Amino acid sequence: MRNHIIKSTCILAVFLIANLATAQDKDKDKENIGTEVVNVVKPYTPSVSDAFKIKQTPSLNDKETAKKKEIKYAIFSFPVASTFTPAKGRAANLKKAKPEKLYNTYVSLGLGNYNTAALDFYTSRAISRDETFDISLRHHSSQGDIEGVVLDNNFFDTKLDLAYINRSRDLSWKAKAGYQHQIYNWYGLPDVGLTPAEIGGINEQQTYHNVYLGADVNMEDSFFNGGNIMCRRMFDATSSGENRLILQPEFEVEIAGELINAMVDIDYVGGTFKNNYAGTGSIDYSILKAGISPSLVILRDDLTVNFGAGIYVGMDLENSENDIFIYPRITAQYRLSGDDIIAYAGIEGDLQQNSYYDFVQENFFMSPTLGIAPTDQQYNGYLGIKGKLTSNVSYNARASYISEKGKPLFRANTLNPQPDNGYSYGNSFTVLYDDVTTLSVFGEINVDITSNFKFGAKAEYFNYSTDQQEEAWNLPELEASIFADYQITENWFAGANIFFIGERKDQFDITGFAIQTAPVTVTLDSFIDVNAHLGYRFNDRLSVFAKANNIANQDYQRWVNFPVQQFQIMAGATYKFDF
């Protein structure tokens, strides 16, 4: 019955829809106003639209539907005997290095044979976050007592340095001042048969005083990179004095992606020696060096090239003489294989300013009767290779050829006794200038065997050619050194260094005092100086040390007629604290 009603309803609905459609067609015929031609410009481009998809599962009206059978699972378990017990995992512990406690002050004091004393004091006080004030005091003295020496041979060297440092984001600068007091003796008396009375009348002591003021400036993000200025006054016990002024500002600009640097170099030295070596008058000197060193830095991947030059004006103000010097300053570096193999080369020159202070620091036994003049280093050409053999082995090898006009050479003074001048008995040195070319070969290797054991060695061979002088006086043909540092345990530490200096030549002239027809050239033997130290740290504040110098007990001469102290031993302690 229900199905019959549904069928009747469907037939009636179809009939009504057909009548409605016929009526709409008649209405459209009445509204038709004619035909029209339509030109299609765009070609027909068929496209495929998405098909209609059933988005839900249709319901089933079947009288019968299959029912899913219920499945029941059962696990049959039984005990199994086992003796395996898994170990509990635990994260590995990393060894953390104990942070080193830093102190702002330390003092070190040592005493040794030959009545030797050494003091080293340093403190750095923070005034504010950006300001610090540093004080450094160093002292080294000995009463001498060198075997076979008849004159006093003690020495005294004390230096005080003060520094104020100010740091900010774009500007940092340091103001510094200091004073140095040195006492040495011209004890290298030649054996020429002087009587005890004559020896007793020699005043062999020389005293040097050095006072300096200076400043360093460093700027970031500015065409002015920084620079330094230094003013020094030196005077001695013989009424000799010297003034030195150095001003070196640096600039840097970038043009077309390349860096151009320029350093202005102004260096003045002037002074007076009360006497010349003959004792007939004084020596005055006044030398100004002024110039600029522009350079262009080119960076290309593994290649770095610096094209530059040095242009200087040298003025001898005392003798009213001027000259212009132009030097090449070209360097290049190329990484052939990262940091493992780096080839480098260059050719550079410079007008080197010499001074009484510099000569004395190299040889404490200079006579206060020197002629001071600059050295024209025309060029220094070199070619080398450096890098790493392994991650803990680095090396450096270089060959160079240097041409210098007016190179200073130290030579023993002639014997010219003057009772008022303790340096006039052939026991002091003068400076001579000559044109010298030097061929040198240099090699160096450094090995970090472990983090606690470091070793290094270097050597350099020289071959000198002089113009006027017979020899390159007191310059060795070979220099070599070896060093090692070993942190034995957390508390024990040790180190050693060995120095080798080859043969040197000097000239001894006593023609005016003894039976000698001409100056005699003497050869100073080569020597090896072996030094070592051992220390123990009780804690991060206190440690003790022992140092031994000239362990081979060699009676060598660094300068002619000036023997050195033989085996030396010193022991002391270092203490750190906050002040």
Side-chain angles (χ1 to χ4, degrees), residues 22 91 143 221 273 313 358-359 369 471:
T22 303
Q143 295 305 310
D221 301 327
F273 293 107
V313 175
D358 294 335
F359 288 154
T369 59
E471 301 284 348

Side-chain angles (χ1 to χ4, degrees), residues 81 112 489 498:
T489 66
I498 303 173

Side-chain angles (χ1 to χ4, degrees), residues 91-309:
N93 294 326
L94 297 177
K95 292 183 179 179
K96 296 181 180 180
K98 184 180 179 181
E100 183 180 358
K101 171 67 176 177
L102 299 179
Y103 299 94
N104 66 5
T105 305
Y106 77 86
V107 59
S108 179
L109 176 63
L111 300 174
N113 60 340
Y114 294 101
N115 292 323
T116 301
L119 171 68
D120 189 359
F121 170 80
Y122 175 80
T123 184
S124 180
R125 301 295 306 276
I127 301 174
S128 67
R129 180 180 178 181
D130 301 325
E131 299 172 292
T132 58
F133 183 70
D134 297 348
I135 302 175
S136 175
L137 176 63
R138 293 183 178 181
H139 170 82
H140 188 201
S141 64
S142 175
Q143 295 305 310
D145 299 329
I146 300 175
E147 184 178 355
V149 176
V150 296
L151 296 178
D152 290 340
N153 49 86
N154 60 299
F155 69 86
F156 175 99
D157 191 343
T158 299
K159 187 176 183 182
L160 173 66
D161 293 303
L162 307 175
Y164 169 79
I165 304 171
N166 188 299
R167 303 179 184 90
S168 61
R169 188 175 66 90
D170 297 326
L171 172 65
S172 62
W173 59 279
K174 178 201 295 188
K176 52 189 178 180
Y179 169 73
Q180 185 176 20
H181 182 204
Q182 297 172 299
I183 298 176
Y184 290 92
N185 289 276
W186 294 297
Y187 64 85
L189 194 64
D191 185 10
V192 292
L194 295 176
T195 65
E198 290 174 325
I199 295 175
I202 298 175
N203 180 16
E204 67 272 27
Q205 181 173 292
Q206 169 68 305
T207 302
Y208 303 105
H209 299 272
N210 168 41
V211 181
Y212 76 91
L213 296 171
D216 299 325
V217 179
N218 184 34
M219 292 192 69
E220 302 290 342
D221 301 327
S222 173
F223 74 96
F224 175 61
N225 272 357
N228 64 82
I229 183 172
M230 190 275 296
C231 180
R232 174 186 288 121
R233 169 64 180 175
M234 176 187 177
F235 56 97
D236 64 15
T238 63
S239 300
S240 299
E242 179 182 79
N243 299 317
R244 182 83 179 267
L245 176 63
I246 300 175
L247 177 62
Q248 294 176 326
E250 297 183 17
F251 305 90
E252 180 181 88
V253 295
E254 183 176 350
I255 300 178
E258 305 294 349
L259 293 177
I260 298 179
N261 301 321
M263 183 185 75
V264 178
D265 188 0
I266 300 174
D267 191 343
Y268 169 80
V269 61
T272 299
F273 293 107
K274 183 179 179 180
N275 298 306
N276 58 21
Y277 193 71
T280 58
S282 62
I283 301 175
D284 298 324
Y285 59 97
S286 181
I287 302 167
L288 176 64
K289 159 190 163 182
I292 186 171
S293 302
S295 64
L296 171 64
V297 181
I298 299 177
L299 302 175
R300 294 292 185 274
D301 296 330
D302 295 326
L303 176 65
T304 303
V305 181
N306 190 325
F307 289 99

Side-chain angles (χ1 to χ4, degrees), residues 380-391:
N380 175 10
Y382 56 87
L383 177 66
I385 187 171
K386 61 183 178 179
K388 292 184 177 181
L389 296 176
T390 64
S391 60

